């Protein structure tokens, strides 16, 4: 991130939020004579955080397992074998839940926690504006993801096929549009319901977005790309599909511009979304080059799981930090020497603050959660890889290292952006989930290479896969999380 990044974006966005809040207060003054007070922050202990997070986390994990099973099946379909660049689209489109849906969930969770969705009028304005915003973002990001897939596929092979390029564009844009609409509606319902029953939306919204996000997106991509592949000989079908969705963008722009909070995101929120898409596409390139090797075909079933779990946990942490800053922090962009710009790992994980406590809780979920998901995949006979002690050990090391890096980056990035006038709700989660895709895919590919190189000769390493969760429990007891 370049130094001297302009603070105007975040300041305009903050002004827009204040303007939106003042408009809602004025409308309430007319009707009731009193302006609603923001609700008091929910009191949370480590136990309550873990209790609220664990069930959505498991639900999201099983969703990624289902997505992995789907990818394991569809990787052998004709469209995936003939147009292997579709694999490059997988992390980028699955990453849309981090770029768009999780950002939407974080934005609406913060708005609900600070009282900007207490009246029906304000709630519907936020809903309509945000739905229109993610539709135009999904269309543009889907289009750019297809271009990245074409470029990454063309550079190693050295030849370009126009029919395949148009197919990738039509499949990507259609999948992104439909998936974002469905997941956006689900997110809105979850946040409204969570607030009504007294659950912090930050703890449940983003994992639930991921529980169905990967499965819905991957299923749509496989089905749509297969249908459009059958029309490859038709010179007009795929271009018309692209043109239809692009032509609807002005409508979504007009709707999003009417809401002050989404108007500024519409103008200033493109950089993190586009950069995150590019980062995820690099992970897609790694996936494409790995799964096409017969020795590593089993990687397909595990990729959505390790990427999804890491992205879910870091999105929860980033959303919680952002809400904490909105409710207790100084105004965005205000220079404050006490605002941490580069925290140490010890302060991020072993500190006494509520954010450090939640980071420990989230980290402790990694090893037990992945063991459950690995057992589920093995029980369903998914993948082409046996769960040997060596592989399980390498996999857990990769997963723990991925989440450790992501949680630390979340702590640093949210405070860094806040101090420079950028709202972490809109800027941090896309970067973090994209980095999660890149780290997860890279570490998983390394895991497969190491497992293949070592083989099953080191049977004594079976003990290590059981020591990881035990170690996590001991650490948790020691620091009394």
């Amino acid at each position: 991130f370049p130094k001297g990044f302009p603070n105007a974006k975040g300041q305009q966005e903050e002004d827009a939020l204040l303007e939106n809040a003042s408009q809602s207060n004025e409308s309430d003054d007319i009707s009731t004579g009193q302006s609603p007070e923001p609700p008091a922050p929910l009191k949370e202990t480590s136990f309550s955080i873990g209790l609220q997070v664990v069930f959505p986390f498991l639900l999201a994990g099983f969703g990624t397992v289902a997505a992995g099973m789907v990818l394991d099946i569809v990787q052998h379909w004709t469209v995936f074998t003939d147009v292997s660049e579709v694999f490059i689209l997988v992390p980028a489109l699955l990453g849309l839940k981090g770029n768009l849906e999780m950002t939407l969930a974080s934005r609406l969770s913060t708005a609900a926690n600070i009282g900007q969705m207490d009246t029906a009028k304000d709630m519907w304005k936020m809903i309509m504006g945000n739905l229109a915003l993610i539709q135009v973002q999904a269309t543009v990001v889907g289009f750019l993801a297809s271009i990245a897939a074409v470029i990454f596929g063309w550079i190693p092979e050295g030849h370009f096929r126009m029919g395949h390029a148009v197919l990738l564009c039509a499949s990507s844009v259609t999948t992104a549009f439909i998936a974002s609409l469905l997941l956006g509606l689900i997110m809105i319902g979850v946040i409204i319901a969570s607030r009504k029953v007294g659950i912090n939306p930050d703890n449940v919204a983003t994992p639930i977005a991921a529980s169905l996000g990967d499965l819905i997106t991957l299923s749509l991509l496989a089905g749509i790309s297969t249908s459009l592949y059958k029309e490859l000989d038709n010179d007009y079908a795929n271009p018309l599909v692209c043109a239809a969705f692009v032509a609807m963008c002005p409508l979504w722009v007009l709707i999003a511009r009417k809401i002050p909070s989404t108007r500024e995101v519409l103008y200033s929120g493109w950089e993190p979304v586009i950069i995150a898409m590019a980062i995820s596409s690099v992970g897609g390139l790694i996936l494409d080059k790995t799964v096409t090797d017969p020795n590593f075909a089993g990687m397909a079933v595990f990729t959505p799981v390790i990427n999804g779990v890491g992205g879910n946990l870091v999105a929860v942490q980033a959303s919680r930090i952002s809400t904490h800053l909105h409710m207790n922090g100084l105004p965005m962009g205000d220079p404050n020497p006490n605002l941490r710009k580069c925290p140490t790992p010890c302060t991020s994980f072993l500190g006494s603050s509520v954010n450090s406590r939640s980071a420990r809780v989230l980290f402790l979920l990694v090893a037990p959660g992945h063991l459950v998901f690995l057992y589920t995949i093995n029980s369903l006979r998914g993948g082409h890889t046996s769960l040997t002690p060596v592989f399980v050990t390498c996999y857990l090391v990769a997963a723990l290292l991925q989440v450790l890096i992501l949680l630390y980056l979340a702590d640093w990035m949210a405070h860094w952006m806040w101090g420079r006038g950028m709202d972490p709700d809109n800027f941090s989660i896309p970067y973090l989930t994209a980095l999660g895709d890149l780290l997860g895919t890279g570490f998983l590919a390394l895991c497969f290479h190491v497992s293949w190189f070592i083989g099953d000769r080191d049977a004594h390493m079976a003990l290590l896969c059981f020591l990881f969760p035990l170690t996590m429990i001991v650490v948790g007891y020691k620091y009394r999380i």
Side-chain angles (χ1 to χ4, degrees):
F1 309 100
K3 293 184 178 180
F5 190 87
N7 294 341
K9 292 182 180 179
Q11 188 62 43
Q12 291 174 353
E13 188 173 305
E14 183 186 14
D15 293 340
L17 286 171
L18 293 174
E19 177 186 349
N20 193 28
S22 64
Q23 290 176 355
S24 64
N25 288 343
E26 291 173 3
S27 63
D28 291 339
D29 287 339
I30 296 174
S31 58
T32 63
Q34 295 180 349
S35 60
E37 296 181 356
L42 299 173
K43 300 296 182 181
E44 294 180 298
T45 63
S46 295
F47 178 77
S48 66
I49 294 173
L51 189 62
Q52 291 182 25
V53 170
V54 66
F55 294 107
F57 167 74
L58 291 175
L59 179 62
F62 287 124
T64 60
V65 169
M69 298 296 294
V70 170
L71 184 58
D72 186 49
I73 295 172
V74 302
Q75 67 173 325
H76 304 294
W77 288 10
T78 305
V79 65
F80 283 84
T81 55
D82 289 356
V83 190
S84 64
E85 292 85 356
V86 177
F87 282 111
I88 301 178
L89 289 177
V90 171
L93 292 181
L94 295 187
L96 282 179
K97 73 178 185 299
N99 298 342
L100 303 182
E101 279 75 35
M102 287 186 178
T103 302
L104 168 68
S106 180
R107 192 161 54 238
L108 292 182
S109 296
T110 298
N113 280 324
I114 63 178
Q116 291 184 353
M117 294 179 63
D118 288 349
T119 65
K121 180 180 178 181
D122 292 339
M123 182 179 68
W124 282 109
K125 286 172 62 178
M126 292 288 290
I127 289 174
M128 295 303 296
N130 279 279
L131 279 179
L133 174 65
I134 65 172
Q135 291 312 113
V136 66
Q137 286 182 325
T139 303
V140 173
V141 172
F143 179 76
L144 294 178
S146 65
I147 294 177
V150 170
I151 294 174
F152 286 146
W154 167 68
I155 291 176
E157 297 179 2
H159 58 86
F160 176 79
R161 297 180 182 179
M162 178 59 70
H164 288 183
V166 178
L167 170 65
L168 290 172
C169 179
S171 301
S172 180
V173 171
T174 306
T175 301
F177 183 92
I178 298 176
S180 294
L181 178 61
L182 293 176
L183 294 173
L185 293 173
I186 293 173
M187 278 301 88
I188 291 169
V190 168
I191 291 170
I192 294 175
S194 299
R195 201 59 194 167
K196 286 185 177 180
V197 299
I199 296 176
N200 188 348
D202 286 322
N203 292 336
V204 299
T206 49
I208 291 180
S211 65
L212 296 176
D214 287 347
L215 180 60
I216 290 175
T217 303
L218 193 53
S219 300
L220 285 172
L221 176 62
I224 291 171
S225 60
T226 299
S227 300
L228 294 176
Y229 180 77
K230 296 177 180 178
E231 302 295 330
L232 199 59
D233 295 332
N234 189 333
D235 295 335
Y236 301 101
N238 291 337
L240 284 176
V241 171
C242 293
F245 285 103
V246 172
M248 288 189 288
C249 284
L251 174 62
W252 310 128
V253 171
L254 290 175
I255 296 175
R257 288 181 59 186
K258 293 182 179 180
I259 311 301
S261 59
T262 56
R263 182 192 307 137
E264 298 306 324
V265 179
L266 181 66
Y267 296 147
S268 64
W270 290 102
E271 180 181 345
V273 171
I274 294 174
I275 294 178
M277 179 274 301
I279 296 174
S280 296
S281 296
V282 176
L285 180 61
I286 298 174
L287 176 64
D288 180 31
K289 298 305 177 184
T290 306
V291 298
T292 52
D293 188 333
N295 293 323
F296 309 124
M299 181 174 168
V301 73
F302 300 105
T303 301
V305 178
I306 192 170
N307 291 351
V309 169
N312 300 342
L313 293 177
V314 75
V316 170
Q317 181 70 354
S319 182
R320 291 178 57 86
I321 295 174
S322 179
T323 298
H324 178 78
L325 291 172
H326 274 281
M327 300 182 74
N328 303 306
L330 294 174
M332 284 188 293
D334 189 8
N336 176 20
N338 296 323
L339 191 63
R340 294 175 300 163
K341 296 182 180 180
C342 187
T344 65
C346 290
T347 57
S348 296
F349 292 97
L350 304 179
S352 59
S353 67
V354 64
N355 292 327
S356 298
R357 191 159 58 245
S358 65
R360 295 194 293 270
V361 171
L362 294 174
F363 183 73
L364 288 180
L365 292 175
V366 177
H370 272 296
L371 288 175
V372 172
F373 303 145
L374 288 175
Y375 175 78
T376 303
I377 292 173
N378 188 58
S379 300
L380 296 174
R381 301 184 183 278
H384 307 272
T385 302
S386 300
L387 296 185
T388 63
V390 173
F391 174 77
V392 173
T393 301
C394 293
Y395 182 90
L396 288 177
V397 170
L400 289 168
L401 186 59
Q402 175 209 29
V403 174
L404 187 71
I405 294 173
L406 290 176
L407 290 177
Y408 173 71
L409 288 177
D411 191 22
W412 166 76
M413 190 178 295
H415 290 89
W416 185 89
M417 290 181 170
W418 183 270
R420 284 156 179 77
M422 294 181 283
D423 190 347
D425 278 332
N426 298 321
F427 288 89
S428 66
I429 292 181
Y431 290 123
L432 292 169
T433 54
L435 288 172
D437 291 341
L438 179 59
L439 291 174
T441 306
F443 287 159
L444 186 60
L446 183 61
C447 170
F448 269 83
H449 281 82
V450 171
S451 299
W452 179 80
F453 178 76
I454 295 177
D456 292 331
R457 295 187 295 272
D458 297 328
H460 68 275
M461 293 191 61
L463 180 62
L464 292 179
C465 69
F466 298 102
L467 290 179
F468 275 109
L470 179 61
T471 302
M472 296 301 101
I473 294 173
V474 171
V475 171
Y477 176 78
K478 179 179 179 180
Y479 293 102
R480 300 180 183 277
I481 68 165

